[in-house]
Amino acid sequence: VPLLDEAEAIDLAITSINRMQNLVDDLLHLEQIQSGVSTAMKRVDVADLLERAMLEAQPMIRHKAQNLQLEVARDLPEIDGDPRWLSRALVNLLGNATKYTPEGGKIVLRAWYDSEAREVLMEVEDNGMGIPSASQKRIYESFYRDPKVRDTIAGTGLGLSIVKSVVDQHNGRLYLSSEEGQGSLFGIGLPAATGNAPE
C-alpha cells in the first residue's frame, strides 16, 4: 500500500475533522430542538424565511452548478414558529436535494397556502436520484442512511431527523413524494397563524 505524501495526509486529516465537526453540530442541533429549550416562537413571514434559507444554501448549489428556483405564492399568511429552526429545517432539505441531485440538476424551493387544510406548505423538490421505497420508511431515523449511497455520499444521517424534530415542535407535518430515479419532493405543512389565514 503506497504511503500518503504530506499534502494528502493533511487533506485526509482535514476531511476527517470536518466530518466529526458536522456530526457534533448535528447532534447538538437535534438535542436542542428536541428539548425545546432554545425554541423562541414568534410570527414568521414565510417569503422572508424561504429567501434566507435559499441564501444560506447558495454555496452548496453553486458548487454543483445546480439551478435553484424560488416559487412563493402571493399573500401567504404568516405562521407561528422559530425562524432559526425553521430555516435550519429548510436548509437541511436543500442540502439533501443538493447531495442527491447531479451537477447541473434542478431544485425548486416553494411555498403556497392550502385553504382547505388552512396550512402553509413549504416544499423542496429535485430531479435527483430519488429514494427507494424501502428506505422511505426509515429516512427520519437518526443515523439511518440508504445502503446504496452511504459509502459514496457524505452525511451524518441526522439531517432529516433534525427536520422531523423541528416540524414536530411546530405541530406541523412532514410529507414525502419520491420515486427512485425520478427525484424527490419533501414538504412541511404548518398551521397558518391564528387570525392570519385568508378564508
Side-chain angles (χ1 to χ4, degrees), residues 7-82:
E8 290 173 328
I10 291 172
D11 286 344
L12 183 60
I14 290 173
T15 299
S16 298
I17 291 169
N18 287 339
R19 188 174 295 135
M20 184 63 68
Q21 185 63 57
N22 289 337
L23 177 60
V24 170
D25 289 344
D26 281 351
L27 284 169
L28 286 172
H29 287 155
L30 191 60
E31 193 280 329
Q32 287 174 335
I33 189 60
Q34 288 180 344
S35 70
V37 172
S38 62
T39 304
M41 306 291 274
K42 64 180 184 179
R43 288 287 168 96
V44 178
D45 181 285
V46 177
D48 182 58
L49 181 70
L50 264 66
E51 288 174 5
R52 291 186 181 194
M54 184 181 70
L55 286 174
E56 188 172 340
Q58 278 294 347
M60 297 183 289
I61 303 291
R62 282 198 299 265
H63 182 69
K64 293 185 72 174
Q66 293 164 335
N67 175 25
L68 175 60
Q69 295 182 8
L70 180 64
E71 299 176 358
V72 180
R74 292 183 178 181
D75 303 321
L76 276 176
E78 293 179 318
I79 56 177
D80 289 319
D82 185 322

Side-chain angles (χ1 to χ4, degrees), residues 17-165:
I17 291 169
N18 287 339
R19 188 174 295 135
M20 184 63 68
Q21 185 63 57
N22 289 337
L23 177 60
V24 170
D25 289 344
D26 281 351
L27 284 169
L28 286 172
H29 287 155
L30 191 60
E31 193 280 329
Q32 287 174 335
I33 189 60
Q34 288 180 344
S35 70
V37 172
S38 62
T39 304
M41 306 291 274
K42 64 180 184 179
R43 288 287 168 96
V44 178
D45 181 285
V46 177
D48 182 58
L49 181 70
L50 264 66
E51 288 174 5
R52 291 186 181 194
M54 184 181 70
L55 286 174
E56 188 172 340
Q58 278 294 347
M60 297 183 289
I61 303 291
R62 282 198 299 265
H63 182 69
K64 293 185 72 174
Q66 293 164 335
N67 175 25
L68 175 60
Q69 295 182 8
L70 180 64
E71 299 176 358
V72 180
R74 292 183 178 181
D75 303 321
L76 276 176
E78 293 179 318
I79 56 177
D80 289 319
D82 185 322
R84 182 171 70 104
W85 286 118
L86 290 172
S87 179
R88 179 80 266 145
L90 289 172
V91 170
N92 280 10
L93 290 179
L94 287 168
N96 265 17
T98 300
K99 285 181 188 177
Y100 299 105
T101 299
E103 290 193 12
K106 179 181 177 182
I107 299 171
V108 180
L109 174 62
R110 71 169 65 90
W112 54 287
Y113 179 63
D114 183 339
S115 57
E116 288 189 14
R118 299 177 73 82
E119 282 184 324
V120 174
L121 304 176
M122 298 176 287
E123 298 177 339
V124 175
E125 184 174 11
D126 65 62
N127 64 346
M129 64 178 62
I131 304 168
S133 56
S135 289
Q136 292 183 27
K137 301 171 185 176
R138 300 190 59 193
I139 56 174
Y140 304 116
E141 296 176 14
S142 295
F143 301 110
Y144 177 78
R145 303 197 68 221
D146 186 275
K148 292 182 180 180
V149 300
R150 67 168 63 124
D151 294 327
T152 56
I153 298 177
T156 63
L158 291 171
L160 289 176
S161 295
I162 292 170
V163 174
K164 187 177 187 307
S165 294

